[in-house]
Amino acid sequence: MGNHNLNSSKDSPEEEYEIISAEARHCHGQKKVTGELMITNKRIVFSSKQNEDVVLGLDEIELVKSNKHLFAVKDKLTIIGKKKENVFCLNYSEDWMELIQSLLHSSANH
């Protein structure tokens, strides 16, 4: 996972740990890259063999949406950050959205 410091927060000595991960596709226009989407207690990371990791700190996330299309095989999870929007296709995107929102809410209260 590159050169990311797992203990990035200066005021919180809490260790970073994985909460959930699953296979997902990062959708960027017509380009879809398959990899693994992981949520930790501090950030969201998408890793694939083809591209550099997509890393979003919880403090960078402004909005999370879930879209379930009637005929689509996978749901879409949209994570809107301060710099850009990332769309991931995966199963149970509504559960992922609720988990991320819960993490955002608890990190805002610290």
Side-chain angles (χ1 to χ4, degrees):
M1 260 200 251
N3 206 3
H4 305 294
N5 184 358
L6 289 183
N7 233 351
S8 58
S9 181
K10 293 172 191 70
D11 53 358
S12 173
E14 184 182 359
E15 290 289 319
E16 181 175 25
Y17 56 88
E18 180 180 323
I19 296 170
I20 190 171
S21 64
E23 184 178 298
R25 283 195 329 255
H26 187 232
C27 306
H28 192 67
Q30 294 299 313
K31 189 175 163 194
K32 292 175 174 57
V33 178
T34 301
E36 182 180 52
L37 186 64
M38 176 179 60
I39 297 177
T40 75
N41 58 320
K42 297 182 183 270
R43 60 194 174 144
I44 297 164
V45 180
F46 177 78
S47 306
S48 72
K49 290 178 174 55
Q50 300 99 310
N51 293 0
E52 198 174 310
D53 290 358
V54 174
V55 181
L56 296 160
L58 294 179
D59 58 343
E60 297 174 53
I61 298 170
E62 295 184 339
L63 182 66
V64 183
K65 299 187 290 188
S66 168
N67 299 68
K68 174 88 172 148
H69 293 286
L70 191 57
F71 299 108
V73 176
K74 303 260 187 202
D75 305 353
K76 281 190 177 163
L77 176 70
T78 304
I79 303 172
I80 300 170
K82 293 178 176 154
K83 295 180 189 133
K84 68 181 267 189
E85 182 176 302
N86 288 283
V87 179
F88 301 97
C89 297
L90 75 163
N91 294 320
Y92 311 109
S93 66
E94 214 164 88
D95 295 340
W96 282 71
M97 177 190 72
E98 289 171 9
L99 174 60
I100 294 167
Q101 287 173 335
S102 169
L103 286 168
L104 292 174
H105 182 73
S106 64
S107 72
N109 292 334
H110 278 119

